[in-house]
Amino acid sequence: MDIQHLEVFLTAAEQLHFGRASQLCHMSPSALTRTIQRLEEQVGKPLFIRDNRHVMLSEAGELFRSYARESIQQWRSFKQELRDDNYLSGNLSIYASITAVYSILPGVLERYRQRYPDVQIHLHSGAAEQALDQVNSGEIDIAVAALPAGKRSQMEFLPLTTTPLVFIAPANVDPLDDPRCNGLLDLSRVNLVVPQYGLSRDRLNQWLKTERVAANIRSEVSGNEALIALVRIGGGIGIVPKLVLQRSPFSSEVRIIEKAPQLDPYEVGLCCNRSALQLPSVRAFWKMAVEQATGKLAE
């Protein structure tokens, strides 16, 4: 099948909106529709389920998306093998939180850009909790994420740094002033602001279960930056990676509660599907990150 047609299909599958997809592909909506129809004729089944309001992938479309991604990856790898070993082109997609963009990626990303200027880098920013899902789905090549305790068979992980989880309160509030706390933050007596999901939420839930504490969870948020902002305005006591807090514009407007439950810190690093590491552009970035992490990156 035509690689360009597969790329058009993947764009449509990601957007689930033919108008937006046609703009991203720099083609008319009718041309995009004809491309999808030709692919459907070749497959022998509809790839999308469409009506006047909605577009969604059919069961065949879901399977075809995996085929399209693998085919494009193999084609790019093949083209790269034909080039000079010191030359790289193609695409590299990276997913990271705002904190990771500022604190973890700059060094290796700058060096990679200087060494391989013809690689198109697509940097996506979002909630850290979504990083692993983005990689697992194949939508992103590499993500900066909190590494899970258990390894996943199809993924590679590269630890880069460790950060503790800390409890925070508004700068003008000391929850330990409550005499019922006995000098230690009592999670059963304060309003908590917690992540909806993710490793820090898992660590908190495990502590609450082990200690048999019934916490008063007042708010659940998506993203550490939003959590800090909510704590700042008095939404409750929050839990956040210290690395995120140090980079937050609100860091001076909240305080770390020193006498609080101690949760296990977590490692932050890169994660990538092993199949994506077959792509030269991805493999080169990973190698450079390993060299930087081990102090072997040449200046």
Side-chain angles (χ1 to χ4, degrees), residues 13 25 48 125 189 207 263 279 289:
C25 294
F48 292 91
S125 181
R189 298 184 182 275
W207 187 91
L263 304 182
L279 294 172

PDB file of all heavy atoms in Angstrom, residues 13 25 48 125 189 207 263 279 289:
ATOM      1  N   ALA A  13      -7.356   8.888  11.638  1.00  0.00           N
ATOM      2  CA  ALA A  13      -7.670   8.054  12.801  1.00  0.00           C
ATOM      3  C   ALA A  13      -7.378   8.774  14.098  1.00  0.00           C
ATOM      4  O   ALA A  13      -8.048   8.560  15.108  1.00  0.00           O
ATOM      5  CB  ALA A  13      -6.868   6.749  12.732  1.00  0.00           C
ATOM      6  N   CYS A  25      -3.084  17.308   6.508  1.00  0.00           N
ATOM      7  CA  CYS A  25      -2.466  16.575   5.391  1.00  0.00           C
ATOM      8  C   CYS A  25      -2.277  17.457   4.161  1.00  0.00           C
ATOM      9  O   CYS A  25      -1.775  16.980   3.128  1.00  0.00           O
ATOM     10  CB  CYS A  25      -3.321  15.367   5.024  1.00  0.00           C
ATOM     11  SG  CYS A  25      -3.393  14.097   6.309  1.00  0.00           S
ATOM     12  N   PHE A  48     -13.829   3.322   8.862  1.00  0.00           N
ATOM     13  CA  PHE A  48     -14.451   4.303   9.744  1.00  0.00           C
ATOM     14  C   PHE A  48     -15.962   4.094   9.760  1.00  0.00           C
ATOM     15  O   PHE A  48     -16.546   3.633   8.777  1.00  0.00           O
ATOM     16  CB  PHE A  48     -14.158   5.736   9.283  1.00  0.00           C
ATOM     17  CG  PHE A  48     -12.718   6.150   9.414  1.00  0.00           C
ATOM     18  CD1 PHE A  48     -11.831   5.963   8.356  1.00  0.00           C
ATOM     19  CD2 PHE A  48     -12.245   6.727  10.586  1.00  0.00           C
ATOM     20  CE1 PHE A  48     -10.505   6.346   8.466  1.00  0.00           C
ATOM     21  CE2 PHE A  48     -10.921   7.108  10.702  1.00  0.00           C
ATOM     22  CZ  PHE A  48     -10.049   6.922   9.647  1.00  0.00           C
ATOM     23  N   SER A 125       3.063  18.261  24.858  1.00  0.00           N
ATOM     24  CA  SER A 125       3.040  18.488  26.294  1.00  0.00           C
ATOM     25  C   SER A 125       1.668  18.146  26.853  1.00  0.00           C
ATOM     26  O   SER A 125       0.638  18.384  26.209  1.00  0.00           O
ATOM     27  CB  SER A 125       3.381  19.949  26.609  1.00  0.00           C
ATOM     28  OG  SER A 125       3.377  20.169  27.999  1.00  0.00           O
ATOM     29  N   ARG A 189      -7.850  14.320  58.969  1.00  0.00           N
ATOM     30  CA  ARG A 189      -8.423  15.556  59.504  1.00  0.00           C
ATOM     31  C   ARG A 189      -8.276  16.744  58.568  1.00  0.00           C
ATOM     32  O   ARG A 189      -8.674  17.853  58.920  1.00  0.00           O
ATOM     33  CB  ARG A 189      -7.781  15.897  60.854  1.00  0.00           C
ATOM     34  CG  ARG A 189      -8.022  14.842  61.921  1.00  0.00           C
ATOM     35  CD  ARG A 189      -7.446  15.267  63.250  1.00  0.00           C
ATOM     36  NE  ARG A 189      -7.639  14.238  64.269  1.00  0.00           N
ATOM     37  CZ  ARG A 189      -8.741  14.103  64.992  1.00  0.00           C
ATOM     38  NH1 ARG A 189      -9.768  14.925  64.784  1.00  0.00           N
ATOM     39  NH2 ARG A 189      -8.839  13.147  65.894  1.00  0.00           N
ATOM     40  N   TRP A 207      -0.561   3.824  50.958  1.00  0.00           N
ATOM     41  CA  TRP A 207      -0.263   4.248  52.330  1.00  0.00           C
ATOM     42  C   TRP A 207      -1.541   4.292  53.158  1.00  0.00           C
ATOM     43  O   TRP A 207      -1.571   3.823  54.302  1.00  0.00           O
ATOM     44  CB  TRP A 207       0.411   5.621  52.319  1.00  0.00           C
ATOM     45  CG  TRP A 207       0.891   6.053  53.678  1.00  0.00           C
ATOM     46  CD1 TRP A 207       2.117   5.843  54.225  1.00  0.00           C
ATOM     47  CD2 TRP A 207       0.121   6.746  54.682  1.00  0.00           C
ATOM     48  NE1 TRP A 207       2.165   6.357  55.500  1.00  0.00           N
ATOM     49  CE2 TRP A 207       0.954   6.921  55.805  1.00  0.00           C
ATOM     50  CE3 TRP A 207      -1.178   7.226  54.733  1.00  0.00           C
ATOM     51  CZ2 TRP A 207       0.536   7.569  56.964  1.00  0.00           C
ATOM     52  CZ3 TRP A 207      -1.611   7.861  55.885  1.00  0.00           C
ATOM     53  CH2 TRP A 207      -0.764   8.035  56.987  1.00  0.00           C
ATOM     54  N   LEU A 263       6.030   8.966  51.800  1.00  0.00           N
ATOM     55  CA  LEU A 263       5.690   8.058  50.715  1.00  0.00           C
ATOM     56  C   LEU A 263       6.951   7.752  49.904  1.00  0.00           C
ATOM     57  O   LEU A 263       7.884   8.556  49.864  1.00  0.00           O
ATOM     58  CB  LEU A 263       4.633   8.693  49.801  1.00  0.00           C
ATOM     59  CG  LEU A 263       3.343   9.148  50.484  1.00  0.00           C
ATOM     60  CD1 LEU A 263       2.381   9.716  49.447  1.00  0.00           C
ATOM     61  CD2 LEU A 263       2.691   8.010  51.246  1.00  0.00           C
ATOM     62  N   LEU A 279      13.402   2.324  14.951  1.00  0.00           N
ATOM     63  CA  LEU A 279      13.535   3.506  14.100  1.00  0.00           C
ATOM     64  C   LEU A 279      14.849   4.214  14.411  1.00  0.00           C
ATOM     65  O   LEU A 279      15.140   4.512  15.572  1.00  0.00           O
ATOM     66  CB  LEU A 279      12.373   4.465  14.335  1.00  0.00           C
ATOM     67  CG  LEU A 279      10.990   3.976  13.910  1.00  0.00           C
ATOM     68  CD1 LEU A 279       9.921   4.942  14.378  1.00  0.00           C
ATOM     69  CD2 LEU A 279      10.935   3.826  12.395  1.00  0.00           C
ATOM     70  N   ALA A 289      20.492   9.899  25.193  1.00  0.00           N
ATOM     71  CA  ALA A 289      19.987  10.048  26.551  1.00  0.00           C
ATOM     72  C   ALA A 289      20.736   9.124  27.512  1.00  0.00           C
ATOM     73  O   ALA A 289      21.038   9.509  28.642  1.00  0.00           O
ATOM     74  CB  ALA A 289      18.485   9.762  26.591  1.00  0.00           C
TER      75      ALA A 289
END
